[in-house]
Amino acid sequence: MSKYRKRTIEKSLNSLIGNCPVIMITGPRQVGKTTLLNHLSATSDKKINYVSLDNILIRTQAKEDPELFLRNYETPLIIDEFQYVPELLSYIKIKVDKARQNEMFGDGKNVGTLYYLTGSQVFQTMKNVSESLAGRIGILDLYGFSTRELENIEEDTFIPDINILRSKEKVSMKSTSEIFEKIINGSYPEVNNDNGRNKEQFYEAYIRTYIERDVRQLINIKDETKFIKFISSVAARTAQEYNSFDIANDVGVDSKTIDEWVSILKNTNLIYMLQSYSNNNIKKAIKRPKIYFMDTGLACYLTGYVNSKTLELSAYNGAIFETYIISEIIKSYTNNGKDPRTRLYYYRDASQKEIDLLVFYDNKVYPVEIKKSANPGKAALKNFNVVNKFGVEVGNGIVLCMMEDIIAIDENNYYVPIEYI
């Protein structure tokens, strides 16, 4: 059995324990949600009970009599795969409110954390959570391993401020071929453990399980082949603007169906939609989001790449490299308990001026370009001046690339090795 690997999110989790009666860990299948909470249980000085709703008999009991189900398990309690029985929410609310009343008017016993929930971030489940447990729940998103987690290096949110970057510990330098080997392997724990599973076998089983357990819970798929064709078509478009009509033409369904299916990928955390930035000062900004697969290994599997050298030499290499960088940056936020949606954007306008990433921090905007090159050249900065129209203070710009060291391009822009993410 592989040794437990420390997760950055533990710090955020520990800050919620005792302060939130309910804690929910959401994320795609097999990224380590259950392992994280089992580790918490094993290292806690207080017994934490566990039940999984993946078990069909237990799930049936919970659906048929939620009140009795909760009464059968002492708190604190981990409820794994919670999305299968969202009916439990209202009963958990009753339990939490009663405990709070006892704390305030009864025995004065601190409520602490009563329930730990794990599950996919299915839209309806999250809507019910927000409505039923407002003010009672802390929610954390977990994805596969980040590079810093794999190398056991401290991980903070990625801030492009050059002074912050210079004080940051770099991850180990890698050649381009090593980077593409990492990209094609992806970030799932089972593939990255010391006795890592064969990636092709893993991803084949992953897609099958995902469709059978997550997708079928949300929609009635009449043609499974078309859904697989759809998800492969989306993977081929990672790092591109979302266009439902293009995907619909590929798959052979209407664009409304594509929108529905994309919503499933988004709400089960397989993809991330990076929103375009616009405000009242910008008249011609494109509003479509860009799609990024959150696991590059899965994207490569779906697009037919099994060899890292073939991937490196392919026309797909730029898009998957950008996807790797963006997903690492997103993880740096979610792993630290912060919502990237309020901090990360991209920019493109009707004049085709585009900036790969905008990072908002401390009331400043930082433009970021991503280049799969050791010498991108000053042309990488050509669109940075558009941020001056935003009406917000502008920080330094950076070009994330394959250089070995941070190098000043001019007085306000820098080449930065990707090892500083």
Side-chain angles (χ1 to χ4, degrees):
M1 189 173 186
S2 297
K3 184 179 178 182
Y4 176 77
R5 194 184 295 271
K6 183 177 174 64
R7 304 301 299 261
T8 303
I9 207 169
E10 288 176 35
K11 184 177 179 181
S12 298
L13 175 59
N14 289 330
S15 71
L16 296 178
I17 294 173
N19 296 313
C20 294
V22 184
I23 296 172
M24 186 169 192
I25 311 290
T26 73
R29 286 191 169 275
Q30 299 189 40
V31 293
K33 302 185 296 294
T34 304
T35 302
L36 172 67
L37 290 181
N38 283 340
H39 173 73
L40 170 67
S41 178
T43 55
S44 175
D45 55 5
K46 187 176 184 180
K47 183 182 178 183
I48 303 176
N49 294 301
Y50 173 89
V51 62
S52 175
L53 298 181
D54 216 12
N55 183 308
I56 190 66
L57 293 177
I58 294 175
R59 189 191 313 171
T60 301
Q61 292 171 3
K63 278 182 172 290
E64 291 179 349
D65 196 338
E67 185 176 9
L68 178 62
F69 170 82
L70 291 177
R71 198 182 303 167
N72 286 336
Y73 296 94
E74 289 187 12
T75 57
L77 174 65
I78 297 169
I79 305 179
D80 207 0
E81 301 291 357
F82 176 77
Q83 75 275 2
Y84 287 130
V85 191
E87 296 89 340
L88 285 169
L89 282 170
S90 57
Y91 294 89
I92 288 175
K93 178 181 181 294
I94 292 169
K95 289 269 190 181
V96 168
D97 289 350
K98 185 175 181 180
R100 281 180 161 180
Q101 287 178 355
N102 285 338
E103 179 182 356
M104 187 172 294
F105 305 114
D107 57 19
K109 185 179 178 182
N110 181 39
V111 173
T113 298
L114 301 178
Y115 296 100
Y116 299 86
L117 314 178
T118 79
S120 301
Q121 195 181 42
V122 179
F123 174 76
Q124 191 57 45
T125 300
M126 294 308 296
K127 183 172 181 288
N128 293 340
V129 165
S130 300
E131 292 174 354
S132 301
L133 296 176
R136 303 168 180 85
I137 190 168
I139 301 173
L140 297 172
D141 295 327
L142 184 67
Y143 294 100
F145 288 131
S146 67
T147 299
R148 288 185 175 268
E149 287 178 318
L150 288 171
E151 297 192 12
N152 197 27
I153 296 175
E154 184 178 357
E155 181 177 33
D156 296 318
T157 52
F158 175 75
I159 307 297
D161 183 283
I162 199 64
N163 294 315
I164 294 175
L165 290 174
R166 281 176 168 154
S167 65
K168 195 172 186 178
E169 182 181 359
K170 290 170 67 177
V171 299
S172 60
M173 292 289 296
K174 294 179 178 63
S175 65
T176 304
S177 60
E178 288 173 325
I179 289 291
F180 276 91
E181 183 66 31
K182 176 171 177 50
I183 285 172
I184 207 165
N185 282 336
S187 61
Y188 285 101
E190 275 202 52
V191 180
N192 285 279
N193 285 331
D194 294 336
N195 55 346
R197 187 171 165 187
N198 177 279
K199 61 177 181 289
E200 290 176 66
Q201 293 176 354
F202 171 78
Y203 287 119
E204 181 180 350
Y206 188 92
I207 289 296
R208 185 170 62 248
T209 303
Y210 174 69
I211 290 174
E212 289 174 355
R213 296 191 181 183
D214 288 340
V215 177
R216 290 193 186 281
Q217 182 192 359
L218 297 170
I219 58 172
N220 178 26
I221 299 180
K222 296 177 182 178
D223 190 340
E224 194 172 290
T225 304
K226 280 194 173 180
F227 190 86
I228 293 174
K229 188 175 181 181
F230 152 74
I231 194 172
S232 299
S233 182
V234 174
R237 288 170 170 79
T238 188
Q240 294 183 23
E241 289 175 25
Y242 172 54
N243 187 319
S244 60
F245 295 99
D246 280 355
I247 301 172
N249 288 334
D250 270 3
V251 180
V253 297
D254 58 53
S255 61
K256 184 178 178 182
T257 299
I258 295 298
D259 286 335
E260 180 184 4
W261 288 0
V262 163
S263 178
I264 291 169
L265 298 186
K266 177 184 174 184
N267 289 306
T268 52
N269 287 309
L270 283 197
I271 63 169
Y272 183 90
M273 305 287 268
L274 182 67
Q275 298 300 316
S276 63
Y277 181 75
S278 63
N279 63 28
N280 291 334
N281 295 323
I282 309 167
K283 303 300 182 186
K284 297 181 180 181
I286 301 294
K287 300 294 178 69
R288 288 191 299 268
K290 287 175 77 172
I291 286 184
Y292 290 94
F293 254 71
M294 283 305 294
D295 185 81
T296 53
L298 181 59
C300 289
Y301 169 78
L302 288 166
T303 49
Y305 290 100
V306 296
N307 180 276
S308 61
K309 195 65 183 175
T310 303
L311 175 65
E312 184 183 345
L313 297 173
S314 72
Y316 192 55
N317 65 10
I320 200 66
F321 181 82
E322 181 180 331
T323 298
Y324 166 66
I325 299 300
I326 294 292
S327 65
E328 286 286 305
I329 292 172
I330 291 167
K331 282 185 245 183
S332 81
Y333 283 83
T334 56
N335 286 347
N336 283 283
K338 295 179 180 177
D339 188 349
R341 293 175 299 178
T342 61
R343 298 166 171 89
L344 306 179
Y345 301 85
Y346 87 99
Y347 176 82
R348 190 180 180 203
D349 60 28
S351 303
Q352 304 302 307
K353 289 187 175 181
E354 183 174 354
I355 300 175
D356 290 334
L357 184 68
L358 300 171
V359 180
F360 285 81
Y361 171 72
D362 197 24
N363 289 316
K364 290 183 181 179
V365 59
Y366 295 81
V368 179
E369 275 294 300
I370 299 166
K371 298 295 181 184
K372 186 191 64 67
S373 169
N375 187 20
K378 286 189 175 183
L381 311 177
K382 63 183 179 181
N383 295 325
F384 279 9
N385 63 343
V386 300
V387 298
N388 297 321
K389 303 175 184 177
F390 291 178
V392 297
E393 190 175 351
V394 178
N396 61 261
I398 68 168
V399 179
L400 285 169
C401 58
M402 298 294 288
M403 279 193 172
E404 293 189 6
D405 298 298
I406 294 175
I407 297 176
I409 305 171
D410 55 36
E411 61 182 357
N412 201 44
N413 298 289
Y414 302 82
Y415 296 124
V416 175
I418 64 171
E419 287 80 10
Y420 280 96
I421 295 175

